[in-house]
Amino acid sequence: MPLSGGTHFSMRMKTTISIITLFAAFFLASCYDSLVDNPIGNKPPNTSLWLKPDSTISQQISTLPVNWTGDDPDGLVVGYYFSWDGNNWTFTTKNDSTFFLQIGITDTSYLFRVAAVDNSGNGRYDSQVFQNNINFGPEPFIDLNGNGVYDQGEPYSDIGLIDPTPAELRFPIKNSAPIIKWDSLTVLPANSFPVMTFGWEVFDTDGVETVQNIRIALNDTTDPNSFVSLRGSVRLITLRVKDFTVANPETEILLDGQEFSILPQKLKGIKLNDTNRVYIQAIDQSGAVSAFASLPKPGATWFVIKPKGKLLLIDDDVSVNDNPTPFYQNKFDNIQGGALNGKYDILDVKANRIPYFGYNFLLTMKLYNYAFWYTDNNPSLDLAAANINRFLDAGGKLFMSMVLPSTFEVAILQDFLPIDSTSTMLNFLFPGALVSPVPTTLGYPEMTATSSIARMRNFHLTPGIATPVYYLSQNQLPGHTGFFDQTKRLFYIGVPLHKTDGGGANVGQLLTKVLFEDFGLTL
């Protein structure tokens, strides 16, 4: 009986389980039919938009950093479309960007829109993406062959659903005028020749790239014709006058101080042998202008000297108790029957070493056809090495009277002198010592030391490149102390002429011989 009863119970349990299984199967089948008939659709993503933390929406400049993000409830966000006009949309996978907005003279505003894109693409390339009544254009792709159209196999962004309600922010844009000021290296001396270099700095909260022009004028800002306009990126110029034969000369503008980059337009209004003032002004792409920056500073003056002739005396001597300049002035005033009296200028390179002097020096030399460079025993060898050959190559002719320092690099001399080496140093050349012309030369006078000359050296010349002219006749040092270069544009003598005018006082004769006969100086 227990066995029979157990069997009956087991059969009833099997029947119950079968009924439940059948009911569950029917229920699931009904649910499946319902799901097929009523599928849950893919939901578009949502987009959020905000400014970067260091920005404010109340009053933006034209450089605008913006962030955005997207969220998709049933998928992944793969990118974003953004637009500034609601018609033209750009796809990006980035979450931020910095925009440079076009600004006008008056303040304006821009409406920025961004819409997230999910990953529910159709698995094929679409030549047009049209959703939410907006034509977003073709799906973005990488143009591997550069033909401008999509080709099979090229990577592309498979655009899914696009947020139908793009995030929006309106940005009020405030135009800021640029600011211009002279840089720290721009220093005007009280007087100069008509060559001067100017540098400046420009600032604009809208970005310096929005500065389109720099305007410059001489002495007058009321006449529009007095201005010359430069590119907004220019930061350094040299002003130069070359033609002194006209009543109202014009001023060249050398961009970055370079003669190969001279602006076609010239500045009007320079006043020679008079004081002058320079004005600059920055203008941005909207037409907003900076205040003028001008030089010289209040209370100072800048006097521009008109060259008196073709000869420049370069004073490279810093002697305090033995100033040689009056000696040379006296000699030049009286040689050739006084022909040069009042027809030469003097440039003191030690007293005028303003920061941009390196730009000005060679261009100042080139205002003249001839130059006489005199020094003590601390000459500006760097200045000589950088500029002498360039002056000679431009057609200039140079007479140098130079004593070398106790230590120097021979290589720097070889930059401008035709020498192989120098002799050992003679501590002193004593009064009465003779500086004599070599026997093969004609017309060069002998000269006599009038005082002790410290740290004398002679030179071993490069054969075929240099022509010897003078030596120390007592054979106190090997080599030569005076010579011409191969082109006979450079004459060098390694003694200070103002200390070798003893005996027949022949320095004036030597100046006449070299300048008028060898160099062909004309008035």
Side-chain angles (χ1 to χ4, degrees):
M1 290 293 293
L3 178 62
S4 175
T7 302
H8 179 73
F9 176 79
S10 175
M11 293 180 62
R12 282 188 297 166
M13 286 292 296
K14 288 181 180 179
T15 302
T16 302
I17 292 171
S18 298
I19 294 172
I20 293 173
T21 302
L22 183 62
F23 178 79
F26 177 79
F27 177 79
L28 290 174
S30 300
C31 289
Y32 177 78
D33 291 340
S34 177
L35 287 172
V36 171
D37 293 340
N38 300 285
I40 299 174
N42 179 39
K43 296 181 180 180
N46 297 310
T47 315
S48 300
L49 172 64
W50 72 96
L51 291 178
K52 288 188 176 181
D54 56 349
S55 303
T56 172
I57 197 171
S58 60
Q59 205 169 54
Q60 291 293 321
I61 58 174
S62 62
T63 304
L64 185 67
V66 187
N67 288 69
W68 53 83
T69 188
D71 176 66
D72 189 56
D74 51 8
L76 298 174
V77 172
V78 296
Y80 304 86
Y81 278 103
F82 66 84
S83 175
W84 286 99
D85 60 9
N87 296 313
N88 300 288
W89 294 81
T90 300
F91 181 78
T92 181
T93 59
K94 296 172 58 179
N95 289 84
D96 67 335
S97 187
T98 297
F99 298 99
F100 300 93
L101 305 180
Q102 183 73 31
I103 56 177
I105 297 177
T106 59
D107 298 345
T108 186
S109 65
Y110 287 90
L111 181 62
F112 181 71
R113 300 174 177 88
V114 61
V117 179
D118 74 9
N119 63 339
S120 63
N122 57 15
R124 63 176 182 272
Y125 180 78
D126 296 316
S127 59
Q128 293 292 327
V129 176
F130 189 86
Q131 295 185 36
N132 311 321
N133 294 319
I134 297 174
N135 187 351
F136 292 93
E139 287 183 325
F141 69 95
I142 299 176
D143 191 6
L144 296 178
N145 58 12
N147 66 354
V149 297
Y150 174 78
D151 293 299
Q152 188 68 31
E154 290 181 327
Y156 68 95
S157 296
D158 193 11
I159 301 299
L161 290 182
I162 303 171
D163 185 356
T165 57
E168 297 181 351
L169 274 180
R170 184 170 295 278
F171 301 106
I173 303 301
K174 178 177 176 58
N175 179 35
S176 299
I179 299 171
I180 192 168
K181 70 174 186 177
W182 302 107
D183 66 20
S184 60
L185 299 180
T186 299
V187 178
L188 282 185
N191 57 74
S192 77
F193 298 100
V195 172
M196 190 54 57
T197 300
F198 301 85
W200 53 82
E201 298 173 353
V202 179
F203 307 90
D204 196 316
T205 53
D206 301 313
V208 293
E209 65 280 349
T210 67
V211 176
Q212 289 196 332
N213 297 105
I214 306 294
R215 295 203 306 165
I216 183 168
L218 281 169
N219 298 312
D220 182 13
T221 60
T222 61
D223 182 2
N225 295 322
S226 66
F227 284 96
V228 169
S229 184
L230 314 174
R231 297 189 313 272
S233 59
V234 174
R235 295 294 181 268
L236 182 79
I237 61 169
T238 298
L239 301 183
R240 176 179 69 178
V241 179
K242 288 180 63 178
D243 187 359
F244 306 107
T245 63
V246 296
N248 298 301
E250 295 183 328
T251 303
E252 292 180 326
I253 302 175
L254 284 64
L255 302 179
D256 295 321
Q258 303 298 324
E259 290 187 285
F260 59 77
S261 185
I262 301 177
L263 207 69
Q265 298 82 12
K266 296 181 180 180
L267 278 171
K268 303 180 184 298
I270 189 76
K271 296 184 290 184
L272 299 179
N273 289 335
D274 203 343
T275 57
N276 290 263
R277 180 167 289 276
V278 179
Y279 297 89
I280 55 171
Q281 184 180 53
I283 306 175
D284 71 14
Q285 62 189 13
S286 73
V289 299
S290 71
F292 284 109
S294 69
L295 280 176
K297 295 180 179 179
T301 58
W302 176 42
F303 188 90
V304 179
I305 302 167
K306 178 181 179 180
K308 300 180 182 71
K310 300 178 181 180
L311 175 65
L312 177 67
L313 274 56
I314 301 173
D315 179 2
D316 193 17
D317 191 297
V318 292
S319 304
V320 177
N321 299 321
D322 187 24
N323 180 13
T325 300
F327 170 87
Y328 291 114
Q329 286 179 298
N330 179 63
K331 289 297 179 182
F332 281 104
D333 285 344
N334 290 285
I335 62 173
Q336 202 76 345
L340 285 176
N341 191 0
K343 295 181 180 178
Y344 61 87
D345 292 291
I346 302 176
L347 174 62
D348 187 336
V349 297
K350 296 284 177 57
N352 288 283
R353 282 291 189 111
I354 58 177
Y356 282 128
F357 184 76
Y359 286 89
N360 301 331
F361 179 68
L362 178 63
L363 295 174
T364 300
M365 285 187 71
K366 286 184 176 182
L367 298 178
Y368 301 84
N369 302 101
Y370 311 92
F372 175 74
W373 192 329
Y374 59 95
T375 80
D376 55 10
N377 54 17
N378 187 28
S380 303
L381 294 180
D382 58 335
L383 204 61
N387 295 289
I388 285 178
N389 284 330
R390 295 161 71 186
F391 176 65
L392 301 178
D393 290 344
K397 297 181 179 182
L398 177 63
F399 186 142
M400 299 189 76
S401 170
M402 178 181 287
V403 182
L404 297 175
S406 57
T407 59
F408 58 90
E409 295 290 337
V410 174
I412 198 170
L413 294 179
Q414 293 171 330
D415 283 340
F416 64 95
L417 294 180
I419 64 170
D420 285 340
S421 60
T422 64
S423 71
T424 57
M425 186 176 71
L426 182 67
N427 289 331
F428 288 99
L429 185 68
F430 293 105
L434 298 178
V435 183
S436 302
V438 300
T440 56
T441 61
L442 299 175
Y444 296 92
E446 188 170 64
M447 292 175 295
T448 305
T450 57
S451 61
S452 296
I453 303 173
R455 302 200 288 267
M456 278 290 300
R457 280 186 175 85
N458 273 357
F459 303 90
H460 301 293
L461 308 180
T462 305
I465 302 299
T467 303
V469 178
Y470 279 98
Y471 70 104
L472 300 179
S473 59
Q474 283 88 351
N475 293 320
Q476 295 162 293
L477 288 173
H480 294 87
T481 192
F483 49 88
F484 276 106
D485 72 336
Q486 187 178 31
T487 64
K488 216 169 185 179
R489 290 182 177 274
L490 170 67
F491 178 79
Y492 180 96
I493 190 163
V495 295
L497 294 184
H498 60 282
K499 292 184 178 181
T500 55
D501 199 33
N506 292 328
V507 167
Q509 184 181 341
L510 175 61
L511 294 173
T512 300
K513 169 65 177 169
V514 174
L515 292 173
F516 285 92
E517 294 184 31
D518 296 322
F519 286 174
L521 188 153
T522 58
L523 303 176

